[in-house]
Amino acid sequence: MNPKVISTYDPNFVLLSLAIAFVGSFIALSAARRIVNAKGQVDVIDLISATLGLGGIGVWTMHFIGMLALHLDVRVGYSMTETIVSLFVVCIATGFALTYVARAPSSWSRLLTAGAILGLGVGVMHYLGMYGMRFGGYIGWSIPIVAASLLIAVVAATAALWLAFNTSSLAIRLVAAAVMAVAVCAMHYTGMSAADFVCTTDQRQLLPGGFGIISATELPKIVLLVSVGIALVLSIDLTVQRIFATKKQHA
């Protein structure tokens, strides 16, 4: 039995993951500046939009699209427990970080603290998602590369938060979203390079059993379902913003 697992990447899914990260980043940049109004009150709808844009689409959806890009010569399943919990983890970290910075955007201490929390939240999401992988073997980790991926996550998160509150024009937001997307993908694929997949069974195409385990072929359905739900929430936010804008024009 050859324990080595051969891994390859589908470039089309890699590019799609980058595009997803860009879309999520742009949504977050557009909504983040409206989270706290002039009276210091939190706009819940905009907070949810920015959180789902960055955490739900830009990070979580991007991560699992990136996982779809990975092809292994063993059958892979995913535990829905870790998969769903990882979504909540990154969204909670994103929501807290955005709100914390939004209350005092010019405070560097807040920016650095929130960047560290968000970056670690992204890291936990990534490795929790990886922990949820099921196949006939185990993953060996390169600790230095894991540490490098976490450092990238913290730096990227800090930059993302700064960009979120320091971009005004559409052109600048587009450039900023591209920078954020590249940073998020850099963290993901650096983290993936830290993983060494080792097979310990002769039945390489047997799907491991267990509670809430789905085949990798079923993963796109879950990602699509969550993405549609997020898109629905974001559509509601856009509709509400247009209604308010119309009321102001006629006031």
Side-chain angles (χ1 to χ4, degrees):
M1 180 184 68
N2 182 9
K4 183 176 178 59
V5 175
I6 298 174
S7 60
T8 58
Y9 282 91
D10 184 332
N12 294 320
F13 275 109
V14 171
L15 290 175
L16 179 59
S17 70
L18 179 61
I20 290 293
F22 173 80
V23 171
S25 298
F26 182 76
I27 293 170
L29 290 176
S30 299
R33 294 173 65 87
R34 303 192 302 265
I35 290 176
V36 176
N37 61 27
K39 297 180 181 179
Q41 299 171 327
V42 175
D43 186 306
V44 177
I45 294 179
D46 283 320
L47 174 59
I48 292 174
S49 293
T51 297
L52 292 179
L54 183 57
I57 295 179
V59 177
W60 189 87
T61 302
M62 175 270 145
H63 170 87
F64 285 101
I65 294 296
M67 295 308 297
L68 291 174
L70 176 66
H71 292 169
L72 303 176
D73 64 343
V74 295
R75 193 171 183 191
V76 176
Y78 288 88
S79 167
M80 290 310 301
T81 301
E82 286 89 341
T83 298
I84 298 302
V85 170
S86 68
L87 174 60
F88 282 99
V89 167
V90 74
C91 284
I92 289 171
T94 302
F96 171 81
L98 287 169
T99 305
Y100 189 64
V101 176
R103 293 190 179 280
S106 60
S107 171
W108 279 97
S109 62
R110 280 179 174 261
L111 178 66
L112 294 175
T113 299
I117 291 173
L118 177 55
L120 292 176
V122 171
V124 170
M125 180 267 128
H126 175 85
Y127 289 106
L128 185 58
M130 293 290 293
Y131 181 73
M133 291 183 70
R134 299 289 188 270
F135 63 99
Y138 64 91
I139 301 176
W141 295 99
S142 169
I143 300 304
I145 299 179
V146 169
S149 72
L150 293 176
L151 178 60
I152 292 173
V154 171
V155 172
T158 304
L161 292 171
W162 185 88
L163 290 169
F165 298 97
N166 289 275
T167 52
S168 53
S169 70
L170 176 60
I172 294 177
R173 284 204 306 272
L174 288 170
V175 173
V179 171
M180 287 171 58
V182 171
V184 169
C185 288
M187 181 275 155
H188 173 82
Y189 291 108
T190 299
M192 291 301 298
S193 70
D196 183 23
F197 298 93
V198 179
C199 181
T200 58
T201 177
D202 290 327
Q203 298 178 312
R204 299 171 80 93
Q205 298 306 314
L206 179 65
L207 179 67
F211 173 76
I213 305 298
I214 64 168
S215 169
T217 57
E218 296 294 315
L219 184 62
K221 296 179 182 179
I222 303 300
V223 175
L224 178 61
L225 180 63
V226 174
S227 299
V228 169
I230 292 174
L232 179 61
V233 173
L234 296 176
S235 298
I236 293 173
D237 174 50
L238 180 60
T239 301
V240 170
Q241 293 300 328
R242 286 183 174 178
I243 292 174
F244 282 143
T246 302
K247 287 182 177 181
K248 286 182 180 179
Q249 289 176 356
H250 293 286

